[in-house]
Amino acid sequence: MLTSPEEVPARYHAIVLRGIQIAPTWSNCLAFIQSENFEGDALIAFLSDDKVRAALLETPIPESKEALPLRQFIIDAEGLADIVYRGYIQALPKEFKKFPDAISAGKRRILIEERRVMFNVGNLATLDDDVDLQTAFVAQNIASYLSDPSSYSIDDEFRERLLSTNISDEEKRAVIALMDLSALPNLPERAGVVGPILLRTNSALPSLTPDIAKAVIVNAEPVGTQVQLLNLLHETLDKNDVREALGQLPYPYSKIQTGYARPTLERTNENSELVRWLDDRDIISSVGKPFWSNDIAVNLYRS
């Protein structure tokens, strides 16, 4: 096996690469790139070989200015299989200033996931034709976005997408704080996403009006989450609002109104908390227990 491209005439470089007849080193790869007879496909074939890749990745990719053509070739390497491309991208020593022009969406996603392209307004705009990639790019750089959200042209529909990514609940809570929540009564799906996040972060928001709170509660799933949200947000609601919210929950919660019914609830932590404050706020008459079970009996006011 050859140790250097200098051992053969330049016209044979591509043959040497395709035949894996030279030592797999970054310096040799760079020398081939700088050769007057350089063929990109030959280097792609060389880099794609499993043994070559394993040997190359044992040492860092050079980060010197002189090695920039090598790093640029790797980030532009559309011809590499995605799994191979990811391995080399992980080995890059620093971020690139922008996305390459001629790579697939799959490889752009790899660059995003491996954080190898700088997050800024221009690079986000480069992804304008692919909202999924834009969402992934912002999610991967959520701290940068949240530190200066006004610099980015991101609307609430986009922010809703962020709420379905794997950013932390605290980060999702911060995203929600940037949204116009007044639209939630007319956007049940969005309200259903917002509610569980508020619950997991155990936080209300100053901007929650009664209508917004009711939308968040009634559009959540499952019913246990609805009850927990009502427990969390009930101070936002007056008595009529509470009864209205309860009326939109499944039976037996919907029966906690006024009249002669005596709804019974399973004795769970959230139900015990619910009837405690309903009683404290004088929304129900009292709390009891049926003699035949350990359930919670809710005694209503007649009117």
Side-chain angles (χ1 to χ4, degrees), residues 245-276:
L246 285 166
Q248 295 181 68
L249 300 190
Y251 177 88
Y253 302 98
S254 58
K255 293 298 183 181
I256 304 177
Q257 302 294 319
T258 57
Y260 292 90
R262 194 168 184 254
T264 58
L265 308 177
E266 182 182 356
R267 190 172 293 278
T268 64
N269 289 338
E270 59 262 28
N271 285 342
S272 296
E273 172 66 11
L274 173 67
V275 296
R276 181 198 62 76

mmCIF file of all heavy atoms in Angstrom, residues 245-276:
data_model
loop_
_atom_site.group_PDB
_atom_site.id
_atom_site.type_symbol
_atom_site.label_atom_id
_atom_site.label_comp_id
_atom_site.label_asym_id
_atom_site.label_seq_id
_atom_site.Cartn_x
_atom_site.Cartn_y
_atom_site.Cartn_z
ATOM 1 N N ALA A 245 -66.643 24.868 32.628
ATOM 2 C CA ALA A 245 -65.545 23.960 32.280
ATOM 3 C C ALA A 245 -65.892 22.528 32.666
ATOM 4 O O ALA A 245 -65.698 21.588 31.884
ATOM 5 C CB ALA A 245 -64.259 24.404 32.964
ATOM 6 N N LEU A 246 -66.421 22.340 33.865
ATOM 7 C CA LEU A 246 -66.819 20.999 34.300
ATOM 8 C C LEU A 246 -67.871 20.409 33.366
ATOM 9 O O LEU A 246 -67.856 19.214 33.060
ATOM 10 C CB LEU A 246 -67.355 21.048 35.729
ATOM 11 C CG LEU A 246 -66.316 21.219 36.841
ATOM 12 C CD1 LEU A 246 -66.996 21.590 38.155
ATOM 13 C CD2 LEU A 246 -65.494 19.939 37.008
ATOM 14 N N GLY A 247 -68.778 21.261 32.907
ATOM 15 C CA GLY A 247 -69.841 20.786 32.027
ATOM 16 C C GLY A 247 -69.337 20.261 30.696
ATOM 17 O O GLY A 247 -70.041 19.497 30.021
ATOM 18 N N GLN A 248 -68.121 20.649 30.317
ATOM 19 C CA GLN A 248 -67.549 20.178 29.054
ATOM 20 C C GLN A 248 -66.626 18.976 29.241
ATOM 21 O O GLN A 248 -66.084 18.457 28.264
ATOM 22 C CB GLN A 248 -66.784 21.318 28.379
ATOM 23 C CG GLN A 248 -67.682 22.478 27.964
ATOM 24 C CD GLN A 248 -66.901 23.576 27.267
ATOM 25 O OE1 GLN A 248 -66.396 23.401 26.159
ATOM 26 N NE2 GLN A 248 -66.789 24.720 27.927
ATOM 27 N N LEU A 249 -66.464 18.538 30.493
ATOM 28 C CA LEU A 249 -65.666 17.344 30.749
ATOM 29 C C LEU A 249 -66.566 16.111 30.668
ATOM 30 O O LEU A 249 -67.789 16.205 30.737
ATOM 31 C CB LEU A 249 -65.010 17.427 32.129
ATOM 32 C CG LEU A 249 -64.053 18.593 32.394
ATOM 33 C CD1 LEU A 249 -63.311 18.375 33.710
ATOM 34 C CD2 LEU A 249 -63.067 18.784 31.256
ATOM 35 N N PRO A 250 -65.969 14.937 30.538
ATOM 36 C CA PRO A 250 -66.781 13.713 30.479
ATOM 37 C C PRO A 250 -67.533 13.465 31.788
ATOM 38 O O PRO A 250 -67.186 14.009 32.841
ATOM 39 C CB PRO A 250 -65.744 12.610 30.220
ATOM 40 C CG PRO A 250 -64.540 13.313 29.685
ATOM 41 C CD PRO A 250 -64.537 14.667 30.323
ATOM 42 N N TYR A 251 -68.545 12.632 31.711
ATOM 43 C CA TYR A 251 -69.274 12.170 32.896
ATOM 44 C C TYR A 251 -68.292 11.418 33.801
ATOM 45 O O TYR A 251 -67.431 10.690 33.305
ATOM 46 C CB TYR A 251 -70.412 11.241 32.452
ATOM 47 C CG TYR A 251 -71.205 10.639 33.586
ATOM 48 C CD1 TYR A 251 -72.298 11.309 34.111
ATOM 49 C CD2 TYR A 251 -70.845 9.403 34.129
ATOM 50 C CE1 TYR A 251 -73.024 10.760 35.159
ATOM 51 C CE2 TYR A 251 -71.560 8.852 35.171
ATOM 52 C CZ TYR A 251 -72.646 9.536 35.690
ATOM 53 O OH TYR A 251 -73.358 8.995 36.725
ATOM 54 N N PRO A 252 -68.350 11.568 35.116
ATOM 55 C CA PRO A 252 -69.369 12.260 35.915
ATOM 56 C C PRO A 252 -69.044 13.720 36.226
ATOM 57 O O PRO A 252 -69.825 14.389 36.892
ATOM 58 C CB PRO A 252 -69.387 11.431 37.200
ATOM 59 C CG PRO A 252 -67.964 10.992 37.355
ATOM 60 C CD PRO A 252 -67.450 10.750 35.966
ATOM 61 N N TYR A 253 -67.886 14.210 35.753
ATOM 62 C CA TYR A 253 -67.514 15.593 36.072
ATOM 63 C C TYR A 253 -68.536 16.579 35.525
ATOM 64 O O TYR A 253 -68.803 17.618 36.147
ATOM 65 C CB TYR A 253 -66.121 15.901 35.510
ATOM 66 C CG TYR A 253 -65.053 14.979 36.027
ATOM 67 C CD1 TYR A 253 -64.639 13.875 35.279
ATOM 68 C CD2 TYR A 253 -64.467 15.189 37.266
ATOM 69 C CE1 TYR A 253 -63.669 13.010 35.753
ATOM 70 C CE2 TYR A 253 -63.490 14.329 37.750
ATOM 71 C CZ TYR A 253 -63.101 13.237 36.986
ATOM 72 O OH TYR A 253 -62.147 12.379 37.468
ATOM 73 N N SER A 254 -69.103 16.245 34.369
ATOM 74 C CA SER A 254 -70.065 17.153 33.742
ATOM 75 C C SER A 254 -71.311 17.349 34.592
ATOM 76 O O SER A 254 -72.057 18.321 34.404
ATOM 77 C CB SER A 254 -70.464 16.614 32.365
ATOM 78 O OG SER A 254 -71.026 15.319 32.478
ATOM 79 N N LYS A 255 -71.546 16.439 35.541
ATOM 80 C CA LYS A 255 -72.726 16.531 36.401
ATOM 81 C C LYS A 255 -72.488 17.395 37.639
ATOM 82 O O LYS A 255 -73.402 17.606 38.442
ATOM 83 C CB LYS A 255 -73.165 15.130 36.833
ATOM 84 C CG LYS A 255 -73.679 14.264 35.685
ATOM 85 C CD LYS A 255 -74.909 14.883 35.046
ATOM 86 C CE LYS A 255 -75.482 14.001 33.950
ATOM 87 N NZ LYS A 255 -76.670 14.619 33.312
ATOM 88 N N ILE A 256 -71.274 17.878 37.817
ATOM 89 C CA ILE A 256 -70.990 18.738 38.977
ATOM 90 C C ILE A 256 -71.436 20.154 38.627
ATOM 91 O O ILE A 256 -70.656 21.005 38.189
ATOM 92 C CB ILE A 256 -69.495 18.687 39.357
ATOM 93 C CG1 ILE A 256 -69.056 17.243 39.607
ATOM 94 C CG2 ILE A 256 -69.230 19.540 40.603
ATOM 95 C CD1 ILE A 256 -67.578 17.088 39.917
ATOM 96 N N GLN A 257 -72.721 20.383 38.782
ATOM 97 C CA GLN A 257 -73.341 21.664 38.470
ATOM 98 C C GLN A 257 -74.173 22.087 39.685
ATOM 99 O O GLN A 257 -73.650 22.186 40.781
ATOM 100 C CB GLN A 257 -74.205 21.521 37.204
ATOM 101 C CG GLN A 257 -73.446 21.040 35.964
ATOM 102 C CD GLN A 257 -72.418 22.044 35.473
ATOM 103 O OE1 GLN A 257 -72.669 23.255 35.454
ATOM 104 N NE2 GLN A 257 -71.243 21.558 35.082
ATOM 105 N N THR A 258 -75.441 22.321 39.503
ATOM 106 C CA THR A 258 -76.398 22.489 40.598
ATOM 107 C C THR A 258 -77.558 21.542 40.331
ATOM 108 O O THR A 258 -77.737 21.065 39.206
ATOM 109 C CB THR A 258 -76.918 23.939 40.673
ATOM 110 O OG1 THR A 258 -77.508 24.292 39.410
ATOM 111 C CG2 THR A 258 -75.799 24.907 41.003
ATOM 112 N N GLY A 259 -78.325 21.248 41.367
ATOM 113 C CA GLY A 259 -79.462 20.361 41.178
ATOM 114 C C GLY A 259 -79.464 19.227 42.187
ATOM 115 O O GLY A 259 -78.833 19.310 43.248
ATOM 116 N N TYR A 260 -80.161 18.153 41.833
ATOM 117 C CA TYR A 260 -80.396 17.066 42.781
ATOM 118 C C TYR A 260 -79.507 15.846 42.529
ATOM 119 O O TYR A 260 -79.634 14.840 43.225
ATOM 120 C CB TYR A 260 -81.868 16.650 42.733
ATOM 121 C CG TYR A 260 -82.785 17.728 43.271
ATOM 122 C CD1 TYR A 260 -83.306 18.706 42.424
ATOM 123 C CD2 TYR A 260 -83.102 17.787 44.627
ATOM 124 C CE1 TYR A 260 -84.130 19.710 42.908
ATOM 125 C CE2 TYR A 260 -83.927 18.786 45.121
ATOM 126 C CZ TYR A 260 -84.437 19.746 44.256
ATOM 127 O OH TYR A 260 -85.251 20.743 44.754
ATOM 128 N N ALA A 261 -78.647 15.926 41.549
ATOM 129 C CA ALA A 261 -77.738 14.801 41.292
ATOM 130 C C ALA A 261 -76.719 14.688 42.426
ATOM 131 O O ALA A 261 -76.491 15.638 43.192
ATOM 132 C CB ALA A 261 -77.028 14.997 39.957
ATOM 133 N N ARG A 262 -76.123 13.524 42.549
ATOM 134 C CA ARG A 262 -75.065 13.311 43.551
ATOM 135 C C ARG A 262 -73.925 12.543 42.864
ATOM 136 O O ARG A 262 -73.766 11.339 43.054
ATOM 137 C CB ARG A 262 -75.609 12.527 44.747
ATOM 138 C CG ARG A 262 -74.689 12.544 45.977
ATOM 139 C CD ARG A 262 -75.444 11.999 47.194
ATOM 140 N NE ARG A 262 -74.640 12.094 48.402
ATOM 141 C CZ ARG A 262 -74.063 11.049 49.001
ATOM 142 N NH1 ARG A 262 -74.201 9.833 48.497
ATOM 143 N NH2 ARG A 262 -73.358 11.226 50.105
ATOM 144 N N PRO A 263 -73.142 13.259 42.034
ATOM 145 C CA PRO A 263 -72.083 12.579 41.278
ATOM 146 C C PRO A 263 -71.076 11.913 42.215
ATOM 147 O O PRO A 263 -70.788 12.424 43.307
ATOM 148 C CB PRO A 263 -71.421 13.712 40.491
ATOM 149 C CG PRO A 263 -72.401 14.838 40.513
ATOM 150 C CD PRO A 263 -73.161 14.706 41.783
ATOM 151 N N THR A 264 -70.552 10.793 41.787
ATOM 152 C CA THR A 264 -69.486 10.125 42.539
ATOM 153 C C THR A 264 -68.242 10.041 41.666
ATOM 154 O O THR A 264 -68.319 9.759 40.470
ATOM 155 C CB THR A 264 -69.904 8.715 42.979
ATOM 156 O OG1 THR A 264 -70.256 7.938 41.834
ATOM 157 C CG2 THR A 264 -71.082 8.781 43.943
ATOM 158 N N LEU A 265 -67.112 10.295 42.289
ATOM 159 C CA LEU A 265 -65.827 10.278 41.596
ATOM 160 C C LEU A 265 -64.928 9.217 42.208
ATOM 161 O O LEU A 265 -64.975 8.976 43.423
ATOM 162 C CB LEU A 265 -65.125 11.640 41.708
ATOM 163 C CG LEU A 265 -65.913 12.889 41.305
ATOM 164 C CD1 LEU A 265 -65.063 14.132 41.564
ATOM 165 C CD2 LEU A 265 -66.326 12.811 39.847
ATOM 166 N N GLU A 266 -64.109 8.613 41.375
ATOM 167 C CA GLU A 266 -63.106 7.690 41.889
ATOM 168 C C GLU A 266 -62.169 8.455 42.818
ATOM 169 O O GLU A 266 -61.811 9.605 42.559
ATOM 170 C CB GLU A 266 -62.319 7.085 40.725
ATOM 171 C CG GLU A 266 -61.278 6.075 41.148
ATOM 172 C CD GLU A 266 -60.482 5.543 39.971
ATOM 173 O OE1 GLU A 266 -60.811 5.910 38.821
ATOM 174 O OE2 GLU A 266 -59.527 4.779 40.204
ATOM 175 N N ARG A 267 -61.769 7.813 43.899
ATOM 176 C CA ARG A 267 -60.920 8.497 44.875
ATOM 177 C C ARG A 267 -59.461 8.462 44.396
ATOM 178 O O ARG A 267 -58.704 7.529 44.655
ATOM 179 C CB ARG A 267 -61.048 7.853 46.257
ATOM 180 C CG ARG A 267 -60.376 8.676 47.378
ATOM 181 C CD ARG A 267 -60.693 8.106 48.745
ATOM 182 N NE ARG A 267 -62.099 8.239 49.080
ATOM 183 C CZ ARG A 267 -62.668 9.332 49.568
ATOM 184 N NH1 ARG A 267 -61.934 10.408 49.789
ATOM 185 N NH2 ARG A 267 -63.962 9.358 49.836
ATOM 186 N N THR A 268 -59.088 9.487 43.663
ATOM 187 C CA THR A 268 -57.708 9.665 43.205
ATOM 188 C C THR A 268 -57.175 10.966 43.784
ATOM 189 O O THR A 268 -57.941 11.792 44.307
ATOM 190 C CB THR A 268 -57.638 9.732 41.674
ATOM 191 O OG1 THR A 268 -58.363 10.896 41.233
ATOM 192 C CG2 THR A 268 -58.231 8.482 41.033
ATOM 193 N N ASN A 269 -55.881 11.171 43.667
ATOM 194 C CA ASN A 269 -55.288 12.402 44.199
ATOM 195 C C ASN A 269 -55.874 13.637 43.526
ATOM 196 O O ASN A 269 -56.200 14.629 44.191
ATOM 197 C CB ASN A 269 -53.772 12.378 44.016
ATOM 198 C CG ASN A 269 -53.085 11.381 44.925
ATOM 199 O OD1 ASN A 269 -53.639 10.992 45.952
ATOM 200 N ND2 ASN A 269 -51.886 10.955 44.558
ATOM 201 N N GLU A 270 -56.005 13.573 42.177
ATOM 202 C CA GLU A 270 -56.510 14.761 41.486
ATOM 203 C C GLU A 270 -57.984 15.011 41.796
ATOM 204 O O GLU A 270 -58.416 16.165 41.907
ATOM 205 C CB GLU A 270 -56.281 14.671 39.974
ATOM 206 C CG GLU A 270 -56.918 13.495 39.281
ATOM 207 C CD GLU A 270 -55.938 12.361 39.056
ATOM 208 O OE1 GLU A 270 -54.978 12.231 39.847
ATOM 209 O OE2 GLU A 270 -56.141 11.604 38.091
ATOM 210 N N ASN A 271 -58.765 13.945 41.970
ATOM 211 C CA ASN A 271 -60.172 14.135 42.314
ATOM 212 C C ASN A 271 -60.338 14.648 43.742
ATOM 213 O O ASN A 271 -61.217 15.474 44.022
ATOM 214 C CB ASN A 271 -60.944 12.825 42.138
ATOM 215 C CG ASN A 271 -61.190 12.495 40.676
ATOM 216 O OD1 ASN A 271 -61.092 13.366 39.812
ATOM 217 N ND2 ASN A 271 -61.508 11.240 40.390
ATOM 218 N N SER A 272 -59.493 14.167 44.640
ATOM 219 C CA SER A 272 -59.544 14.664 46.020
ATOM 220 C C SER A 272 -59.197 16.145 46.071
ATOM 221 O O SER A 272 -59.828 16.924 46.802
ATOM 222 C CB SER A 272 -58.582 13.861 46.902
ATOM 223 O OG SER A 272 -58.975 12.502 46.974
ATOM 224 N N GLU A 273 -58.193 16.544 45.281
ATOM 225 C CA GLU A 273 -57.833 17.956 45.211
ATOM 226 C C GLU A 273 -58.965 18.770 44.590
ATOM 227 O O GLU A 273 -59.277 19.882 45.044
ATOM 228 C CB GLU A 273 -56.546 18.114 44.399
ATOM 229 C CG GLU A 273 -56.145 19.545 44.073
ATOM 230 C CD GLU A 273 -55.772 20.363 45.300
ATOM 231 O OE1 GLU A 273 -55.627 19.785 46.395
ATOM 232 O OE2 GLU A 273 -55.643 21.588 45.160
ATOM 233 N N LEU A 274 -59.599 18.223 43.566
ATOM 234 C CA LEU A 274 -60.698 18.918 42.894
ATOM 235 C C LEU A 274 -61.828 19.233 43.868
ATOM 236 O O LEU A 274 -62.271 20.387 43.973
ATOM 237 C CB LEU A 274 -61.216 18.062 41.734
ATOM 238 C CG LEU A 274 -62.480 18.564 41.028
ATOM 239 C CD1 LEU A 274 -62.203 19.868 40.285
ATOM 240 C CD2 LEU A 274 -63.025 17.498 40.068
ATOM 241 N N VAL A 275 -62.315 18.226 44.579
ATOM 242 C CA VAL A 275 -63.465 18.468 45.456
ATOM 243 C C VAL A 275 -63.075 19.325 46.654
ATOM 244 O O VAL A 275 -63.922 20.038 47.214
ATOM 245 C CB VAL A 275 -64.110 17.145 45.915
ATOM 246 C CG1 VAL A 275 -64.671 16.393 44.715
ATOM 247 C CG2 VAL A 275 -63.142 16.270 46.700
ATOM 248 N N ARG A 276 -61.793 19.292 47.044
ATOM 249 C CA ARG A 276 -61.364 20.129 48.167
ATOM 250 C C ARG A 276 -61.579 21.601 47.851
ATOM 251 O O ARG A 276 -62.203 22.338 48.617
ATOM 252 C CB ARG A 276 -59.887 19.861 48.490
ATOM 253 C CG ARG A 276 -59.367 20.677 49.681
ATOM 254 C CD ARG A 276 -57.853 20.731 49.719
ATOM 255 N NE ARG A 276 -57.274 21.372 48.540
ATOM 256 C CZ ARG A 276 -57.276 22.688 48.338
ATOM 257 N NH1 ARG A 276 -57.853 23.509 49.212
ATOM 258 N NH2 ARG A 276 -56.731 23.193 47.248
#
